[in-house]
Amino acid sequence: MKHPIYRVTKLEVVAPYTLTIEFNDGLLRTINFQPVLVGEVFGPLREPSVFNAVKIDPEVQTLVWPNGADFDPAMLHDWPVYEAALHERARSWEAVRN
């Protein structure tokens, strides 16, 4: 069984915490990351200058930030499949923190 391997080819910051991402299969996806920016790894991305420092890692071709935060490119590609679960997980992390 073959699974597609997705790679991020372009990105653009289009609004606060929001990126438009292009993948190697031509898909364009616009994602608002703000609801999932909690916890030790993703929480620092709430600082706009940190979030906007996003780059494409040349080796694995996914989004990476200076603090080491990243997302699996397949998750980004199929974001609607994972979005609700990620939001719920982020809410649970917030509840634990408070």
Side-chain angles (χ1 to χ4, degrees), residues 4-81:
I5 297 175
Y6 300 110
R7 300 184 194 305
V8 174
T9 58
K10 293 182 187 173
L11 73 91
E12 180 181 0
V13 178
V14 295
Y17 311 109
T18 305
L19 302 175
T20 295
I21 306 161
E22 185 173 336
F23 296 88
N24 60 318
D25 67 350
L27 177 75
L28 285 175
R29 177 146 339 268
T30 299
I31 300 173
N32 177 356
F33 288 90
Q34 188 170 13
V36 300
L37 300 181
V38 299
E40 287 183 40
V41 174
F42 297 110
L45 303 185
R46 285 192 173 270
E47 170 58 44
S49 64
V50 177
F51 183 85
N52 292 340
V54 63
K55 302 281 185 223
I56 299 172
D57 181 277
E59 185 176 332
V60 295
Q61 293 184 289
T62 194
L63 306 179
V64 293
W65 283 267
N67 71 336
D70 67 356
F71 285 91
D72 180 282
M75 179 181 287
L76 295 170
H77 185 277
D78 299 333
W79 190 260
V81 173

Side-chain angles (χ1 to χ4, degrees), residues 35-36 38 75 83-95:
V36 300
V38 299
M75 179 181 287
E83 186 173 15
L86 290 169
H87 288 199
E88 183 59 35
R89 184 172 297 155
R91 282 191 290 275
S92 72
W93 291 336
E94 279 289 305

